Protein backbone atom coordinates (compact mmCIF):
# COMPACT_ATOMS: atom_id res chain seq x y z
CA UNK A 1 0.00 0.00 0.00
CA UNK A 2 1.27 3.47 -0.85
CA UNK A 3 0.38 6.14 1.71
CA UNK A 4 -1.08 9.39 0.51
CA UNK A 5 1.07 12.44 1.06
CA UNK A 6 -0.39 14.75 3.70
CA UNK A 7 0.93 18.25 3.15
CA UNK A 8 -0.58 19.42 6.43
CA UNK A 9 1.90 17.36 8.43
CA UNK A 10 4.80 17.23 6.02
CA UNK A 11 5.36 13.44 6.05
CA UNK A 12 3.47 10.36 4.99
CA UNK A 13 0.01 10.43 6.51
CA UNK A 14 -0.71 7.79 9.15
CA UNK A 15 -4.15 7.28 7.57
CA UNK A 16 -4.72 6.20 3.98
CA UNK A 17 -8.35 7.13 3.33
CA UNK A 18 -8.46 5.24 0.05
CA UNK A 19 -8.83 1.94 1.95
CA UNK A 20 -12.23 2.85 3.46
CA UNK A 21 -14.17 1.35 0.56
CA UNK A 22 -16.29 4.25 -0.73
CA UNK A 23 -16.08 7.98 -1.41
CA UNK A 24 -18.92 8.59 1.04
CA UNK A 25 -17.07 6.88 3.89
CA UNK A 26 -13.88 8.67 2.90
CA UNK A 27 -15.58 12.10 3.10
CA UNK A 28 -17.22 11.27 6.43
CA UNK A 29 -14.01 10.01 7.97
CA UNK A 30 -12.03 13.03 6.76
CA UNK A 31 -14.54 15.30 8.53
CA UNK A 32 -13.84 13.53 11.84
CA UNK A 33 -10.08 12.97 11.50
CA UNK A 34 -7.32 15.53 11.87
CA UNK A 35 -3.52 15.23 11.82
CA UNK A 36 -0.89 17.58 13.20
CA UNK A 37 2.85 17.40 12.54
CA UNK A 38 4.87 17.84 15.74
CA UNK A 39 8.36 17.33 14.33
CA UNK A 40 9.92 15.14 11.64
CA UNK A 41 9.00 11.56 12.48
CA UNK A 42 6.31 12.47 15.01
CA UNK A 43 2.69 13.47 14.51
CA UNK A 44 -0.63 13.50 16.34
CA UNK A 45 -4.02 12.41 15.03
CA UNK A 46 -7.39 13.09 16.63
CA UNK A 47 -10.78 11.55 15.99
CA UNK A 48 -13.88 13.49 17.05
CA UNK A 49 -17.36 12.26 16.13
CA UNK A 50 -20.98 11.99 17.18
CA UNK A 51 -22.71 9.81 14.63
CA UNK A 52 -26.40 9.42 13.85
CA UNK A 53 -25.90 5.82 12.72
CA UNK A 54 -23.28 3.15 13.28
CA UNK A 55 -20.15 3.61 11.19
CA UNK A 56 -18.12 0.57 10.13
CA UNK A 57 -15.07 0.52 7.92
CA UNK A 58 -12.28 -1.88 7.02
CA UNK A 59 -8.65 -0.86 6.74
CA UNK A 60 -5.22 -2.23 5.99
CA UNK A 61 -1.85 -0.56 6.15
CA UNK A 62 1.88 -1.02 6.20
CA UNK A 63 3.06 0.93 9.19
CA UNK A 64 6.33 2.67 10.08
CA UNK A 65 5.10 4.32 13.27
CA UNK A 66 4.85 3.29 16.89
CA UNK A 67 1.34 4.24 18.02
CA UNK A 68 0.21 5.50 21.42
CA UNK A 69 -3.57 5.75 21.76
CA UNK A 70 -5.62 7.56 24.40
CA UNK A 71 -9.41 7.06 24.49
CA UNK A 72 -11.07 10.13 25.95
CA UNK A 73 -14.79 9.65 25.39
CA UNK A 74 -17.14 6.98 24.07
CA UNK A 75 -16.30 3.44 22.95
CA UNK A 76 -15.74 1.49 19.75
CA UNK A 77 -14.72 -1.98 18.61
CA UNK A 78 -11.55 -2.67 16.65
CA UNK A 79 -11.25 -6.18 15.22
CA UNK A 80 -7.61 -6.56 14.20
CA UNK A 81 -7.98 -9.56 11.92
CA UNK A 82 -4.38 -9.64 10.79
CA UNK A 83 -1.34 -8.62 12.84
CA UNK A 84 2.12 -10.16 13.19
CA UNK A 85 1.14 -11.41 16.68
CA UNK A 86 -2.24 -12.85 15.68
CA UNK A 87 -5.83 -11.66 15.79
CA UNK A 88 -6.84 -9.09 18.42
CA UNK A 89 -10.45 -8.13 19.13
CA UNK A 90 -10.34 -4.86 21.07
CA UNK A 91 -13.17 -3.08 22.86
CA UNK A 92 -11.83 0.44 23.38
CA UNK A 93 -13.43 2.55 26.12
CA UNK A 94 -12.91 6.00 27.58
CA UNK A 95 -10.17 6.05 30.20
CA UNK A 96 -8.09 3.37 28.48
CA UNK A 97 -4.90 3.69 26.50
CA UNK A 98 -2.53 1.51 24.57
CA UNK A 99 0.76 1.38 22.75
CA UNK A 100 1.79 -0.85 19.91
CA UNK A 101 3.87 -1.42 16.83
CA UNK A 102 2.60 -3.48 13.90
CA UNK A 103 4.44 -3.36 10.59
CA UNK A 104 1.40 -4.76 8.81
CA UNK A 105 -2.16 -4.59 10.04
CA UNK A 106 -5.64 -5.28 8.75
CA UNK A 107 -8.94 -4.90 10.58
CA UNK A 108 -12.45 -3.55 10.97
CA UNK A 109 -13.59 -0.67 13.19
CA UNK A 110 -17.18 -0.21 14.34
CA UNK A 111 -18.15 3.12 15.94
CA UNK A 112 -21.62 3.14 17.55
CA UNK A 113 -24.16 5.87 16.90
CA UNK A 114 -25.61 8.22 19.47
CA UNK A 115 -22.55 8.82 21.63
CA UNK A 116 -19.66 11.24 21.42
CA UNK A 117 -16.41 9.50 20.51
CA UNK A 118 -13.06 11.20 21.06
CA UNK A 119 -9.58 9.76 20.89
CA UNK A 120 -6.06 10.91 20.22
CA UNK A 121 -3.00 9.06 18.94
CA UNK A 122 0.66 9.99 19.00
CA UNK A 123 2.59 8.37 16.12
CA UNK A 124 6.38 8.19 16.45
CA UNK A 125 9.05 6.62 14.27
CA UNK A 126 11.17 4.15 16.30
CA UNK A 127 14.39 6.07 15.67
CA UNK A 128 12.82 9.29 16.93
CA UNK A 129 11.47 7.68 20.10
CA UNK A 130 14.78 5.95 20.74
CA UNK A 131 16.63 9.28 20.53
CA UNK A 132 14.12 10.89 22.91
CA UNK A 133 14.43 8.16 25.53
CA UNK A 134 18.24 7.89 25.54
CA UNK A 135 19.16 7.49 29.24
CA UNK A 136 15.57 6.53 30.15
CA UNK A 137 15.54 3.45 27.94
CA UNK A 138 15.84 1.04 30.89
CA UNK A 139 12.75 2.52 32.58
CA UNK A 140 10.25 1.69 29.81
CA UNK A 141 8.28 -1.52 29.36
CA UNK A 142 10.46 -4.40 28.09
CA UNK A 143 8.22 -5.00 25.07
CA UNK A 144 8.55 -1.37 24.01
CA UNK A 145 12.28 -1.52 24.58
CA UNK A 146 12.46 -4.61 22.38
CA UNK A 147 10.42 -2.95 19.65
CA UNK A 148 12.92 -0.11 19.50
CA UNK A 149 15.66 -2.52 18.47
CA UNK A 150 16.36 -2.47 14.70
CA UNK A 151 15.27 -6.05 14.00
CA UNK A 152 12.31 -8.02 12.68
CA UNK A 153 9.72 -9.79 14.84
CA UNK A 154 9.41 -7.19 17.57
CA UNK A 155 5.77 -6.22 16.96
CA UNK A 156 3.70 -5.83 20.15
CA UNK A 157 0.60 -4.32 21.72
CA UNK A 158 -0.14 -3.34 25.35
CA UNK A 159 -3.27 -1.76 26.83
CA UNK A 160 -4.13 -0.40 30.29
CA UNK A 161 -6.26 2.09 32.20
CA UNK A 162 -4.99 5.66 32.15
CA UNK A 163 -4.11 7.62 35.26
CA UNK A 164 -6.16 10.83 35.67
CA UNK A 165 -3.14 13.04 34.96
CA UNK A 166 -2.46 11.22 31.69
CA UNK A 167 -6.11 11.62 30.67
CA UNK A 168 -5.96 15.34 31.43
CA UNK A 169 -2.83 15.96 29.35
CA UNK A 170 -4.25 13.89 26.49
CA UNK A 171 -7.40 16.00 26.64
CA UNK A 172 -5.38 19.25 26.55
CA UNK A 173 -3.49 18.02 23.50
CA UNK A 174 -6.75 16.90 21.85
CA UNK A 175 -8.24 20.38 22.11
CA UNK A 176 -4.96 21.97 21.06
CA UNK A 177 -5.15 20.07 17.76
CA UNK A 178 -8.92 20.40 17.34
CA UNK A 179 -8.90 24.16 18.01
CA UNK A 180 -5.88 24.74 15.74
CA UNK A 181 -3.77 26.16 18.57
CA UNK A 182 -0.80 27.50 16.66
CA UNK A 183 2.09 27.68 19.16
CA UNK A 184 4.28 24.77 18.08
CA UNK A 185 6.41 24.85 21.23
CA UNK A 186 3.29 24.33 23.35
CA UNK A 187 2.06 21.48 21.17
CA UNK A 188 5.39 19.67 21.13
CA UNK A 189 5.73 20.15 24.88
CA UNK A 190 2.30 18.58 25.45
CA UNK A 191 3.16 15.59 23.25
CA UNK A 192 6.40 14.97 25.15
CA UNK A 193 4.64 15.43 28.49
CA UNK A 194 1.95 12.94 27.48
CA UNK A 195 4.42 10.31 26.29
CA UNK A 196 6.60 10.82 29.36
CA UNK A 197 3.74 10.34 31.80
CA UNK A 198 2.33 7.34 29.93
CA UNK A 199 5.69 5.58 29.65
CA UNK A 200 6.65 6.34 33.26
CA UNK A 201 3.55 4.69 34.69
CA UNK A 202 3.91 1.59 32.52
CA UNK A 203 7.61 0.90 32.86
CA UNK A 204 7.40 -1.80 35.52
CA UNK A 205 5.41 -4.84 34.36
CA UNK A 206 5.84 -6.48 37.78
CA UNK A 207 4.05 -3.71 39.68
CA UNK A 208 0.92 -5.75 40.28
CA UNK A 209 2.91 -8.70 41.64
CA UNK A 210 4.18 -6.63 44.55
CA UNK A 211 0.73 -6.68 46.09
CA UNK A 212 0.37 -10.44 45.55
CA UNK A 213 -2.83 -9.89 43.59
CA UNK A 214 -4.34 -12.74 41.65
CA UNK A 215 -5.62 -12.08 38.12
CA UNK A 216 -9.19 -12.07 39.46
CA UNK A 217 -8.28 -9.56 42.17
CA UNK A 218 -6.61 -7.29 39.63
CA UNK A 219 -9.80 -7.43 37.56
CA UNK A 220 -11.77 -6.42 40.67
CA UNK A 221 -9.45 -3.45 41.30
CA UNK A 222 -9.98 -2.28 37.71
CA UNK A 223 -13.75 -2.74 38.10
CA UNK A 224 -13.68 -0.60 41.26
CA UNK A 225 -11.81 2.11 39.41
CA UNK A 226 -14.39 2.02 36.60
CA UNK A 227 -17.20 2.40 39.16
CA UNK A 228 -15.47 5.36 40.82
CA UNK A 229 -14.98 7.06 37.47
CA UNK A 230 -18.65 6.56 36.62
CA UNK A 231 -19.92 7.79 40.00
CA UNK A 232 -17.21 10.35 40.80
CA UNK A 233 -19.63 13.21 41.54
CA UNK A 234 -21.38 11.22 44.28
CA UNK A 235 -19.11 8.25 45.01
CA UNK A 236 -19.89 5.30 47.28
CA UNK A 237 -17.97 4.84 50.52
CA UNK A 238 -14.95 2.58 50.64
CA UNK A 239 -16.91 0.10 52.78
CA UNK A 240 -19.73 0.02 50.22
CA UNK A 241 -17.26 -0.56 47.39
CA UNK A 242 -15.50 -3.36 49.25
CA UNK A 243 -18.76 -5.11 50.12
CA UNK A 244 -20.16 -4.85 46.59
CA UNK A 245 -17.02 -6.35 45.08
CA UNK A 246 -16.53 -8.97 47.82
CA UNK A 247 -13.09 -7.74 48.80
CA UNK A 248 -11.81 -6.49 52.13
CA UNK A 249 -11.25 -2.76 52.63
CA UNK A 250 -7.54 -3.24 53.34
CA UNK A 251 -7.18 -5.40 50.20
CA UNK A 252 -8.90 -2.74 48.10
CA UNK A 253 -6.54 -0.07 49.43
CA UNK A 254 -3.43 -2.22 48.95
CA UNK A 255 -4.53 -3.25 45.48
CA UNK A 256 -5.22 0.33 44.44
CA UNK A 257 -1.79 1.45 45.61
CA UNK A 258 -0.11 -1.41 43.76
CA UNK A 259 -2.01 -1.07 40.49
CA UNK A 260 -2.52 2.71 40.31
CA UNK A 261 0.14 4.08 42.67
CA UNK A 262 -2.22 5.90 45.05
CA UNK A 263 -4.95 5.38 47.62
CA UNK A 264 -8.61 5.18 46.64
CA UNK A 265 -9.22 8.60 48.21
CA UNK A 266 -6.31 10.25 46.42
CA UNK A 267 -7.27 8.62 43.13
CA UNK A 268 -10.83 9.95 43.39
CA UNK A 269 -9.67 13.43 44.38
CA UNK A 270 -7.17 13.55 41.51
CA UNK A 271 -9.74 12.22 39.04
CA UNK A 272 -12.30 14.87 40.04
CA UNK A 273 -9.83 17.75 39.74
CA UNK A 274 -8.49 16.50 36.41
CA UNK A 275 -12.10 16.14 35.26
CA UNK A 276 -12.69 19.76 36.23
CA UNK A 277 -9.67 20.78 34.17
CA UNK A 278 -11.00 18.83 31.18
CA UNK A 279 -14.40 20.50 31.48
CA UNK A 280 -12.75 23.92 31.49
CA UNK A 281 -10.71 22.92 28.41
CA UNK A 282 -13.91 21.97 26.60
CA UNK A 283 -15.12 25.52 27.24
CA UNK A 284 -18.85 24.89 27.70
CA UNK A 285 -19.20 25.48 31.47
CA UNK A 286 -18.50 28.27 33.92
CA UNK A 287 -16.77 27.78 37.28
CA UNK A 288 -19.95 27.08 39.25
CA UNK A 289 -21.21 24.54 36.72
CA UNK A 290 -17.88 22.69 36.71
CA UNK A 291 -17.77 22.58 40.52
CA UNK A 292 -21.31 21.18 40.78
CA UNK A 293 -20.68 18.67 37.98
CA UNK A 294 -17.76 17.08 39.80
CA UNK A 295 -19.54 17.02 43.15
CA UNK A 296 -18.39 20.18 44.96
CA UNK A 297 -21.23 22.07 46.65
CA UNK A 298 -19.01 24.70 48.25
CA UNK A 299 -17.28 26.85 45.60
CA UNK A 300 -14.63 28.01 48.07
CA UNK A 301 -13.63 24.42 48.79
CA UNK A 302 -13.47 23.73 45.05
CA UNK A 303 -11.35 26.83 44.46
CA UNK A 304 -8.92 25.92 47.23
CA UNK A 305 -8.55 22.32 46.02
CA UNK A 306 -8.07 23.39 42.39
CA UNK A 307 -5.50 26.02 43.32
CA UNK A 308 -3.57 23.61 45.54
CA UNK A 309 -3.43 21.06 42.71
CA UNK A 310 -2.77 23.35 39.71
CA UNK A 311 -1.39 26.55 41.27
CA UNK A 312 -4.15 28.78 39.89
CA UNK A 313 -7.74 29.58 40.85
CA UNK A 314 -10.48 28.04 38.69
CA UNK A 315 -11.72 31.46 37.57
CA UNK A 316 -8.28 32.46 36.31
CA UNK A 317 -7.77 29.14 34.56
CA UNK A 318 -11.19 29.36 32.93
CA UNK A 319 -10.42 32.88 31.75
CA UNK A 320 -7.09 31.79 30.23
CA UNK A 321 -8.77 28.95 28.32
CA UNK A 322 -11.38 31.31 26.89
CA UNK A 323 -8.67 33.80 25.88
CA UNK A 324 -6.70 31.07 24.14
CA UNK A 325 -9.75 29.79 22.27
CA UNK A 326 -10.80 33.22 21.04
CA UNK A 327 -7.54 34.96 20.44
CA UNK A 328 -4.00 34.09 21.41
CA UNK A 329 -2.29 31.52 19.22
CA UNK A 330 -5.31 30.89 17.05
CA UNK A 331 -4.26 29.44 13.68
CA UNK A 332 -2.79 26.26 12.38
CA UNK A 333 0.96 25.79 12.70
Amino acid sequence: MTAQKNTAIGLDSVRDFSTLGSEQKERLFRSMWQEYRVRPGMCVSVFDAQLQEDFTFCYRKENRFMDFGFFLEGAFANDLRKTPIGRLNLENRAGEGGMGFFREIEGTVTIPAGKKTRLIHVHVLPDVLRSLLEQDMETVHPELRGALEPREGNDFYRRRCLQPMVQAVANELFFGVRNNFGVRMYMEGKVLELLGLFLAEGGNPAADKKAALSPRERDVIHAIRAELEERYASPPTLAEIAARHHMGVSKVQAGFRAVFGMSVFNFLKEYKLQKAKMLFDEGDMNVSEVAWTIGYINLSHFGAAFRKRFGVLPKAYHKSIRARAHGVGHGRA
Side-chain angles (χ1 to χ4, degrees):
M1 183 196 75
T2 303
Q4 293 177 332
K5 194 72 173 179
N6 188 324
T7 57
I9 62 173
L11 68 158
D12 289 346
S13 172
V14 297
R15 167 62 62 192
D16 180 359
F17 295 98
S18 65
T19 66
L20 297 182
S22 71
E23 292 185 3
Q24 182 180 5
K25 285 189 174 183
E26 180 179 334
R27 287 194 300 270
L28 178 58
F29 200 95
R30 284 183 182 277
S31 70
M32 300 181 289
W33 178 272
Q34 191 172 344
E35 293 181 12
Y36 180 94
R37 183 192 186 207
V38 180
R39 59 162 70 175
M42 177 186 290
C43 65
V44 174
S45 63
V46 301
F47 182 82
D48 186 8
Q50 186 159 1
L51 300 165
Q52 296 181 349
E53 57 184 41
D54 291 353
F55 182 67
T56 300
F57 64 91
C58 299
Y59 65 94
R60 64 184 184 279
K61 65 177 180 178
E62 296 174 2
N63 185 37
R64 300 181 300 128
F65 294 93
M66 288 190 165
D67 296 321
F68 298 83
F70 306 87
F71 305 99
L72 303 175
E73 193 172 352
F76 68 91
N78 189 0
D79 179 11
L80 303 177
R81 294 189 304 276
K82 180 181 178 182
T83 80
I85 63 172
R87 186 168 188 165
L88 297 172
N89 202 331
L90 306 178
E91 295 289 337
N92 300 302
R93 299 180 180 87
E96 296 179 343
M99 60 180 177
F101 181 48
F102 296 130
R103 287 180 174 81
E104 294 185 35
I105 190 170
E106 184 177 316
T108 301
V109 169
T110 301
I111 304 168
K115 292 185 177 180
K116 183 80 167 174
T117 301
R118 294 192 301 120
L119 63 129
I120 183 167
H121 282 85
V122 178
H123 313 273
V124 193
L125 292 178
D127 287 347
V128 174
L129 184 58
R130 189 162 48 242
S131 68
L132 287 171
L133 287 169
E134 293 185 329
Q135 301 299 321
D136 295 325
M137 186 68 73
E138 293 304 314
T139 69
V140 303
H141 196 282
E143 286 185 288
L144 174 61
R145 196 159 59 244
L148 291 172
E149 297 296 327
R151 57 183 173 81
E152 296 293 326
N154 52 4
D155 304 78
F156 80 103
Y157 178 76
R158 300 287 296 180
R159 183 171 63 170
R160 64 175 182 268
C161 290
L162 300 174
Q163 296 283 29
M165 186 179 297
V166 176
Q167 293 184 58
V169 176
N171 204 64
E172 291 173 352
L173 182 58
F174 176 93
F175 284 108
V177 174
R178 207 60 177 144
N179 295 332
N180 297 319
F181 188 63
V183 180
R184 186 171 297 278
M185 184 182 294
Y186 170 87
M187 297 295 289
E188 182 168 343
K190 281 297 169 189
V191 172
L192 297 179
E193 181 184 6
L194 179 58
L195 289 180
L197 289 170
F198 183 73
L199 293 175
E201 74 174 35
N204 183 7
D208 286 356
K209 297 180 181 178
K210 294 181 179 179
L213 294 173
S214 69
R216 189 197 70 81
E217 287 171 333
R218 286 196 292 273
D219 289 342
V220 170
I221 295 298
H222 283 281
I224 291 172
R225 171 186 168 134
E227 180 179 350
L228 290 173
E229 290 181 348
E230 184 177 345
R231 303 177 59 188
Y232 66 89
S234 183
T237 66
L238 186 55
E240 290 171 340
I241 291 173
R244 181 156 44 251
H245 292 274
H246 307 289
M247 181 179 282
V249 170
S250 60
K251 192 70 172 183
V252 171
Q253 287 282 39
F256 237 79
R257 289 184 183 278
V259 178
F260 303 121
M262 63 184 76
S263 69
V264 175
F265 174 80
N266 285 337
F267 170 83
L268 186 59
K269 182 178 180 180
E270 177 72 7
Y271 183 83
K272 291 172 70 169
L273 291 173
Q274 295 290 358
K275 185 71 172 181
K277 199 162 179 280
M278 292 182 196
L279 292 172
F280 284 133
D281 291 342
E282 291 172 6
D284 297 327
M285 294 184 180
N286 60 35
V287 172
S288 298
E289 290 170 334
V290 168
W292 296 332
T293 297
I294 68 169
Y296 277 87
I297 299 174
N298 188 305
L299 292 181
S300 296
H301 291 171
F302 171 59
F306 193 92
R307 183 174 186 176
K308 182 177 181 181
R309 176 63 184 84
F310 300 114
V312 62
L313 286 170
K315 184 176 181 179
Y317 185 78
H318 181 246
K319 184 177 181 180
S320 70
I321 293 297
R322 290 178 63 86
R324 183 201 303 171
H326 295 95
V328 180
H330 200 68
R332 183 66 175 265

